[in-house]
């Protein structure tokens, strides 16, 4: 499958095209161009490493939004086993943008929930472009309470531009649904691991993001507002989105320094979409490591640490 190249990846694409031209020229001819091929391959790899070692915040946002990037159900398929989807919030209906159910990750049985986007127009309409309705958050809470009842840890995979802001969602109280999730997750008596796998947009992400361990994939982003939204407010034009992305400190390394997240999960060179299998294994190993640490902790200590973790955010000491 041909993967669409992003703007900053064009130097890599040009070198790859030249490499293919050299290989085609060699085929069927008695010419030894192996040294040239090796030199070009080394140049491609060196250019790729240089570009991906110096990504800006805006470039990471572009990778997080890549249409070929693995989504929630892709990771469930590759990193989890024995997945059984459970539907409905028992109040209004089912929300296809927030699938979830029972699964197993490594040796741990768990409840896994997350936001799902689509790859084409039809699937995006079904999944509402990864923006959950109120019933999505209520379904997630129902599954989390079930996990608590049966002493199963919760794994939440976050990938949303934000909760759906439409009239119907407002009529069914989207803000209240998210607020209730925040409150209930804070006192949920079972370990919770949340991982931002792509976009972590505003309250839409926080609605399933209160956890004992909050992790992020290397090229994901997590922010109170999108770069475009921030640019529209501060600069009155979305063309300033790259500047907004830098100012928001929304990438994984910056958020780890600020203490907003607990760890960064590395991705294959070029992003998770370049090697979904390897990305899934890295995600699985990180989740299993977190659960190995959290599952043995006594419930009262788990809740106290969770409370202290979030109460400590935004607290600074100036010298």
């Amino acid at each position: 499958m041909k993967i669409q190249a992003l703007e900053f990846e064009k130097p890599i694409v040009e070198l790859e095209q030249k490499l293919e031209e050299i290989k085609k020229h060699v085929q069927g001819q008695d010419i030894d161009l192996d040294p040239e091929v090796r030199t070009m391959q080394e140049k491609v790899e060196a250019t790729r490493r240089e570009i991906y070692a110096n990504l800006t915040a805006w470039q990471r946002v572009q990778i997080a939004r890549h249409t070929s990037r693995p989504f929630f159900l892709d990771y469930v398929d590759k990193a989890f086993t024995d997945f059984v989807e459970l539907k409905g919030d028992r109040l209004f209906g089912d929300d296809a943008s927030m699938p979830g159910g029972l699964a197993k990750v490594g040796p741990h049985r768990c409840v896994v929930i997350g936001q799902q986007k689509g790859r084409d127009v039809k699937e995006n309409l079904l999944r509402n472009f990864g923006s959950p309705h109120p019933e999505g958050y209520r379904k997630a809470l129902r599954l989390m309470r079930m996990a608590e009842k049966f002493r199963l840890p919760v794994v939440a995979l976050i990938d949303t531009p934000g909760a759906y802001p439409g009239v119907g969602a407002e009529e069914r109280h989207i803000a209240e649904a998210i607020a209730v999730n925040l409150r209930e997750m804070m006192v949920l008596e079972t370990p919770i691991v949340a991982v931002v796998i792509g976009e972590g947009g505003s309250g839409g992400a926080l609605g399933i993001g209160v956890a004992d361990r909050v992790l992020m994939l290397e090229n994901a982003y997590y922010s109170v507002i999108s770069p475009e939204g921030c640019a529209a407010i501060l600069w009155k034009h979305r063309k300033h989105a790259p500047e907004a992305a830098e100012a928001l400190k929304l990438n994984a390394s910056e958020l780890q320094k600020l203490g907003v997240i607990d760890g960064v999960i590395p991705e294959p060179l070029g992003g998770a979409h370049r090697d979904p299998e390897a990305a899934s294994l890295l995600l699985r190993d990180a989740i299993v490591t977190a659960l190995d640490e959290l599952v043995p902790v006594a419930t009262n200590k788990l809740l106290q640490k969770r409370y202290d973790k979030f109460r400590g955010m935004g607290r600074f000491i100036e010298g």
Side-chain angles (χ1 to χ4, degrees):
M1 181 180 71
K2 186 175 177 61
I3 296 175
Q4 181 182 356
L6 299 168
E7 185 68 28
F8 65 87
E9 295 177 310
K10 286 185 177 179
I12 302 170
V13 174
E14 290 171 4
L15 288 171
E16 288 175 335
Q17 288 173 346
K18 289 179 182 177
L19 179 60
E20 287 302 312
E21 288 172 10
I22 293 172
K23 289 180 178 179
K24 286 180 182 178
H25 187 69
V26 172
Q27 287 177 356
Q29 300 187 41
D30 189 20
I31 305 174
D32 183 17
L33 290 178
D34 283 350
E36 286 81 357
V37 170
R38 281 195 299 272
T39 300
M40 184 60 72
Q41 285 174 333
E42 289 170 2
K43 190 172 183 181
V44 169
E45 288 304 312
T47 304
R48 182 179 283 116
R49 283 194 298 271
E50 182 182 356
I51 287 175
Y52 287 108
N54 299 284
L55 291 174
T56 65
W58 177 241
Q59 287 168 342
R60 291 194 189 278
V61 170
Q62 291 176 288
I63 295 175
R65 293 173 175 172
H66 200 289
T67 53
S68 298
R69 191 172 175 84
F71 296 148
F72 170 76
L73 291 175
D74 298 315
Y75 284 121
V76 167
D77 181 55
K78 293 180 172 64
F80 294 77
T81 57
D82 303 331
F83 177 61
V84 179
E85 187 173 359
L86 301 174
K87 298 187 177 184
D89 68 343
R90 303 299 186 266
L91 292 169
F92 181 83
D94 187 55
D95 185 357
S97 65
M98 185 87 83
L102 298 164
K104 191 175 180 183
V105 57
H108 300 282
R109 296 189 183 279
C110 66
V111 165
V112 60
I113 54 177
Q115 289 126 346
Q116 175 69 22
K117 297 177 180 177
R119 299 203 185 279
D120 54 37
V121 174
K122 184 178 179 181
E123 192 181 359
N124 265 318
L125 290 174
L126 171 68
R127 304 292 182 182
N128 202 37
F129 296 86
S131 295
H133 293 85
E135 49 271 24
Y137 291 100
R138 292 179 178 128
K139 174 173 69 172
L141 182 57
R142 179 177 76 82
L143 297 183
M144 287 188 278
R145 284 173 171 159
M146 184 187 71
E148 180 183 50
K149 179 179 179 179
F150 293 105
R151 301 183 182 278
L152 297 172
V154 173
V155 177
L157 302 186
I158 299 166
D159 187 12
T160 180
Y164 184 57
V167 173
E170 294 294 343
E171 289 174 341
R172 300 192 299 279
H173 309 293
I174 184 71
E176 185 264 356
I178 292 173
V180 169
N181 276 27
L182 298 181
R183 182 189 70 197
E184 295 302 308
M185 289 184 79
M186 187 60 75
V187 295
L188 198 74
E189 295 184 358
T190 194
I192 311 172
V193 176
V195 186
V196 185
I197 58 173
E199 294 187 270
S202 192
L206 277 178
I208 58 170
V210 178
D212 302 293
R213 291 286 186 281
V214 181
L215 309 174
M216 277 180 72
L217 288 181
E218 183 182 356
N219 293 310
Y221 81 86
Y222 196 22
S223 176
V224 69
I225 191 171
S226 70
E228 293 90 342
C230 178
I233 293 170
L234 296 182
W235 287 277
K236 310 302 180 187
H237 202 290
R238 61 182 294 159
K239 71 179 182 181
H240 293 282
E243 298 165 62
E246 292 291 342
L248 285 166
K249 306 292 183 186
L250 46 66
N251 60 310
S253 60
E254 293 286 354
L255 292 171
Q256 188 175 28
K257 289 177 190 174
L258 292 170
V260 175
I261 65 168
D262 303 301
V264 181
I265 304 172
E267 295 184 27
L269 188 65
H273 58 286
R274 295 287 175 181
D275 193 345
E277 296 285 347
S280 299
L281 292 177
L282 289 166
L283 177 74
R284 183 197 65 191
D285 291 348
I287 293 171
V288 170
T289 299
L291 290 178
D292 286 344
E293 295 171 0
L294 294 170
V295 168
V297 178
T299 301
N300 61 334
K301 290 184 179 179
L302 189 76
L303 294 178
Q304 186 61 50
K305 286 182 178 180
R306 190 185 303 163
Y307 176 82
D308 293 341
K309 167 185 165 61
F310 284 93
R311 286 291 291 175
M313 288 184 187
R315 187 180 297 166
F316 295 93
I317 298 174
E318 294 184 0

